[in-house]
């Protein structure tokens, strides 16, 4: 079997059928689907069972609720394919995606291939994450060239299953993909991107990226600091943005080590970089906290 498709299922009765229809209708057919029912309290368990009865490529694992990482790890433990991919059950993929991505993966002999994504699909601010077709012999170059730190999603990627030997998603944490992808890249020999295929990442206004608290952003920053990936000025300024948000929301002292950077990006980002270079990371966070205080709406 070539590909294992792991789909965690929890409270997605409105979107599960759309997700699975997009998978079973693919022109590429050498796959298994592992539906991991993570103790869903709606009728998703029954829906999963019906899908398994209708297509022998689909199997269902029912388990008590343990969260997204636990569900993905359960799928990894059961996967039999040479490669593995993840699809969230409120998302879906475009026709022909698997055939194109698997062909490009075979041609490049990549340990991981990333393909395009429609970000926040269905929202007013949706955008397209696109790539050129390219193979990287150094995964660190992929990390900086594609700004992979901005799209560490487990979805929209196909992985050689052996990359996960000894690696699982961290349970009990948010932003679990940001913890996991750098660890996988450190074991990869070759990483590819392709312009073909499309993953529809549907907007969820209640999702973690839209509602993250200070503590959750602290976990995101910790994941990046633990990643040990190559860091250019653009990546560093991305971490500065997270660090200032954490300081504003929690009052924490900054963890991010200070370094001087070349001002790049928007006018706002250039001003932040200049302020960083003049005053340092500690004072930048203090300034951000002061500005955040004055931006708070009045409760009177």
């Amino acid at each position: 079997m070539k590909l294992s498709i792991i789909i965690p299922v929890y409270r997605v009765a409105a979107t599960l059928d759309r997700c699975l229809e997009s998978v079973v209708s693919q022109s590429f057919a050498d796959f298994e689907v592992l539906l991991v029912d993570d103790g869903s309290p709606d009728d998703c368990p029954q829906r999963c069972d019906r899908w398994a009865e209708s297509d022998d490529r689909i199997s269902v694992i029912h388990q008590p609720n343990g969260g997204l990482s636990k569900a993905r790890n359960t799928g990894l433990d059961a996967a039999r394919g040479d490669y593995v991919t993840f699809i969230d059950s409120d998302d879906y993929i475009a026709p022909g995606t698997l055939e194109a991505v698997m062909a490009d993966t075979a041609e490049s002999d990549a340990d991981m291939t990333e393909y395009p994504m429609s970000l926040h699909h269905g929202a007013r601010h949706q955008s397209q994450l696109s790539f050129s077709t390219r193979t990287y012999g150094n995964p660190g170059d992929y990390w900086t060239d594609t700004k992979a730190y901005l799209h560490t999603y487990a979805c929209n990627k196909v992985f050689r299953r052996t990359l996960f030997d000894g690696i699982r998603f961290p349970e009990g944490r948010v932003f679990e993909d940001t913890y996991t992808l750098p660890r996988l890249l450190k074991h990869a020999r070759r990483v590819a991107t392709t312009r073909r295929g499309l993953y529809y990442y549907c907007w969820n206004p209640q999702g973690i990226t839209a509602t993250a608290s200070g503590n959750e952003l602290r976990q995101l920053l910790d994941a990046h600091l633990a990643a040990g990936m190559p860091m250019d000025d653009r990546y560093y300024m991305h971490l500065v943005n997270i660090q200032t948000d954490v300081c504003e929301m929690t009052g924490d002292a900054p963890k991010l080590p200070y370094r001087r950077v070349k001002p790049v990006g928007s006018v706002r980002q250039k001003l932040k970089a200049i302020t960083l270079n003049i005053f340092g990371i500690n004072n930048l966070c203090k300034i951000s906290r002061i500005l955040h205080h004055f931006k708070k709406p009045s409760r009177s």
Side-chain angles (χ1 to χ4, degrees):
M1 183 181 303
K2 199 68 175 175
L3 179 65
S4 295
I5 303 171
I6 297 172
I7 305 178
V9 176
Y10 185 76
R11 288 186 173 175
V12 286
T15 59
L16 179 60
D17 291 343
R18 178 186 66 184
C19 174
L20 288 170
E21 285 167 2
S22 77
V23 172
V24 300
S25 62
Q26 292 286 309
S27 52
F28 178 86
D30 187 13
F31 63 76
E32 65 173 352
V33 175
L34 298 167
L35 293 176
V36 183
D37 162 36
D38 192 38
S40 188
D42 53 13
D43 70 342
C44 282
Q46 293 76 29
R47 288 175 182 263
C48 289
D49 290 339
R50 287 197 295 270
W51 272 100
E53 291 170 0
S54 68
D55 192 319
D56 60 10
R57 296 173 297 179
I58 300 176
S59 59
V60 184
I61 302 170
H62 298 286
Q63 67 180 29
N65 179 250
L68 179 60
S69 288
K70 175 67 174 177
R72 285 176 174 170
N73 291 341
T74 295
L76 285 168
D77 291 342
R80 298 174 293 152
D82 298 322
Y83 292 84
V84 63
T85 193
F86 303 90
I87 301 177
D88 288 345
S89 44
D90 48 0
D91 301 334
Y92 62 104
I93 56 177
T97 291
L98 295 183
E99 181 174 7
V101 175
M102 292 304 294
D104 288 348
T105 299
E107 182 176 349
S108 63
D109 190 29
D111 294 314
M112 188 194 88
T113 301
E114 183 169 22
Y115 63 93
M117 173 182 277
S118 177
L119 288 162
H120 307 142
H121 186 71
R124 289 171 56 186
H125 59 289
Q126 71 181 39
S127 60
Q128 187 88 357
L129 177 63
S130 301
F131 303 95
S132 61
T133 298
R134 180 175 175 182
T135 302
Y136 293 86
N138 181 347
D141 292 339
Y142 152 81
W143 182 260
T144 53
D145 288 355
T146 71
K147 300 181 185 178
Y149 46 86
L150 298 177
H151 43 94
T152 59
Y153 318 110
C155 305
N156 88 307
K157 298 173 180 68
V158 168
F159 304 90
R160 197 182 301 273
R161 183 165 59 88
T162 53
L163 275 187
F164 283 93
D165 289 350
I167 296 176
R168 290 294 185 268
F169 292 94
E171 298 178 18
R173 291 182 178 269
V174 295
F175 296 108
E176 57 282 322
D177 296 348
T178 306
Y179 281 95
T180 307
L181 182 62
R183 297 179 65 200
L184 297 171
L185 290 175
K186 289 176 182 178
H187 288 81
R189 299 170 299 106
R190 190 176 293 110
V191 173
T193 57
T194 177
R195 64 169 57 92
R196 303 200 293 168
L198 185 61
Y199 184 100
Y200 291 98
Y201 177 19
C202 298
W203 173 242
N204 177 5
Q206 302 305 315
I208 183 63
T209 55
T211 62
S213 67
N215 181 57
E216 289 163 340
L217 289 176
R218 185 189 291 129
Q219 291 185 44
L220 175 61
L221 179 63
D222 288 344
H224 279 291
L225 293 178
M229 296 301 290
M231 186 177 298
D232 58 13
D233 285 350
R234 295 178 304 177
Y235 182 24
Y236 182 79
M237 285 306 300
H238 174 64
L239 299 189
V240 167
N241 291 336
I242 300 172
Q243 178 66 87
T244 54
D245 285 345
V246 171
C247 290
E248 289 171 10
M249 299 173 74
T250 68
D252 287 358
K255 294 181 178 179
L256 181 66
Y258 168 67
R259 62 182 264 187
R260 293 183 62 85
V261 296
K262 180 179 179 181
V264 294
S266 66
V267 172
R268 183 177 179 180
Q269 279 295 93
K270 288 178 181 177
L271 288 174
K272 181 173 278 191
I274 292 169
T275 304
L276 171 73
N277 289 341
I278 295 173
F279 296 105
I281 187 69
N282 289 318
N283 287 320
L284 175 63
C285 286
K286 290 178 182 178
I287 294 169
S288 295
R289 282 199 297 268
I290 293 170
L291 294 175
H292 179 71
H293 173 76
F294 283 109
K295 286 189 295 184
K296 284 183 178 179
S298 173
R299 294 182 180 274
S300 60

